[in-house]
Amino acid sequence: AQSVTQPDIHITVSEGASLELRCNYSYGATPYLFWYVQSPGQGLQLLLKYFSGDTLVQGIKGFEAEFKRSQSSFNLRKPSVHWSDAAEYFCAVGERTYKYIFGTGTRLKVLA
Amino acid sequence: DTAVSQTPKYLVTQMGNDKSIKCEQNLGHDTMYWYKQDSKKFLKIMFSYNNKELIINETVPNRFSPKSPDKAHLNLHINSLELGDSAVYFCASSQETTGDDTQYFGPGTRLTVL
């Protein structure tokens, strides 16, 4: 069965430090992969997505993610975190049957 | 311009009541979804409609009934509300025919059942 795992429930980083959020998936074919961000009390905003092609994808707000088929991973990175990046981050795998499977989310806290 | 909008943003009601949440998208998409986010932030799909036709119904109780009057709207009606229905409900939309599965989410409706 398809699944998405985000191993880190909480992550705390200092402002200006680098960030990597982990996402592992289990999927039978080449997946469609997404990262969304949810700020407190807000809806989900798409950060970036991978369908095919270049395995390093660039997103909004300075985020990037790398698809590694051999590791079944799609980790999200940012070289320098800003205080406004504090939020909940969700990884998702898309199915062609119209539904996403979401990970359980990683809450990012940024220290000033 | 709001792409996917939901009303109301907050809904507080008593157990046993019937309530509706409305969703509208102005993206011209052909597919719309309802998701439930529980208190632990876990997101799970409930329904999906493509061109007003129900595609996915993820073992949701019969008390939940989606209605799609046209491609731009997908409303969620809930009968006999229970405490466990308290959650944040998200509407989303996508355009399936282009092969781009990106779903765009609304701001959510926080439902509290007392």
Side-chain angles (χ1 to χ4, degrees):
Chain A
Q2 293 86 358
S3 65
V4 178
T5 302
Q6 292 180 246
D8 305 304
I9 299 174
H10 295 99
I11 282 188
T12 300
V13 299
S14 297
E15 192 170 19
S18 63
L19 171 71
E20 181 169 30
L21 302 182
R22 295 183 291 164
C23 174
N24 294 96
Y25 64 89
S26 171
Y27 196 79
T30 300
Y32 291 18
L33 293 158
F34 307 83
W35 275 100
Y36 284 85
V37 60
Q38 184 180 22
S39 298
Q42 302 297 313
L44 283 85
Q45 182 182 22
L46 179 69
L47 282 176
L48 47 78
K49 60 189 178 186
Y50 172 79
F51 287 170
S52 64
D54 192 347
T55 56
L56 183 64
V57 293
Q58 302 297 322
I60 62 171
K61 304 186 180 188
F63 285 93
E64 66 177 28
E66 186 170 13
F67 170 57
K68 293 185 177 180
R69 185 189 302 277
S70 61
Q71 298 177 18
S72 297
S73 69
F74 188 58
N75 294 347
L76 182 72
R77 300 194 294 250
K78 187 169 184 177
S80 178
V81 170
H82 188 262
W83 64 265
S84 60
D85 293 325
E88 191 94 22
Y89 291 80
F90 292 94
C91 181
V93 172
E95 297 186 31
R96 289 303 290 147
T97 51
Y98 306 106
K99 66 177 181 178
Y100 286 4
I101 298 171
F102 279 87
T104 49
T106 297
R107 178 163 294 181
L108 174 65
K109 183 176 178 180
V110 180
L111 301 177
Chain B
D1 288 342
T2 302
V4 182
S5 60
Q6 296 178 228
T7 54
K9 191 173 171 72
Y10 300 96
L11 185 54
V12 181
T13 187
Q14 300 285 335
M15 277 176 55
N17 284 350
D18 302 338
K19 290 294 179 186
S20 292
I21 306 172
K22 295 186 177 182
C23 177
E24 177 181 3
Q25 54 94 4
N26 62 8
L27 298 167
H29 288 166
D30 60 4
T31 306
M32 296 184 72
Y33 313 79
W34 277 110
Y35 284 84
K36 180 180 180 180
Q37 186 178 48
D38 62 23
S39 59
K40 292 189 187 335
K41 299 283 188 163
F42 182 61
L43 267 161
K44 192 171 191 309
I45 192 163
M46 301 172 68
F47 300 104
S48 170
Y49 269 74
N50 176 258
N51 285 315
K52 297 173 36 179
E53 180 183 343
L54 181 64
I55 301 296
I56 292 174
N57 181 342
E58 285 288 307
T59 60
V60 176
N62 291 339
R63 300 182 295 104
F64 290 79
S65 53
K67 296 272 192 311
S68 182
D70 54 57
K71 286 200 314 183
H73 296 83
L74 180 63
N75 303 325
L76 184 65
H77 189 75
I78 315 170
N79 289 330
S80 304
L81 278 155
E82 301 177 357
L83 292 177
D85 297 332
S86 295
V88 181
Y89 292 84
F90 286 100
C91 177
S93 72
S94 69
Q95 181 61 31
E96 295 299 316
T97 54
T98 62
D100 181 344
D101 279 355
T102 304
Q103 293 182 18
Y104 296 88
F105 285 77
T109 296
R110 182 175 293 276
L111 171 65
T112 303
V113 182
L114 303 175

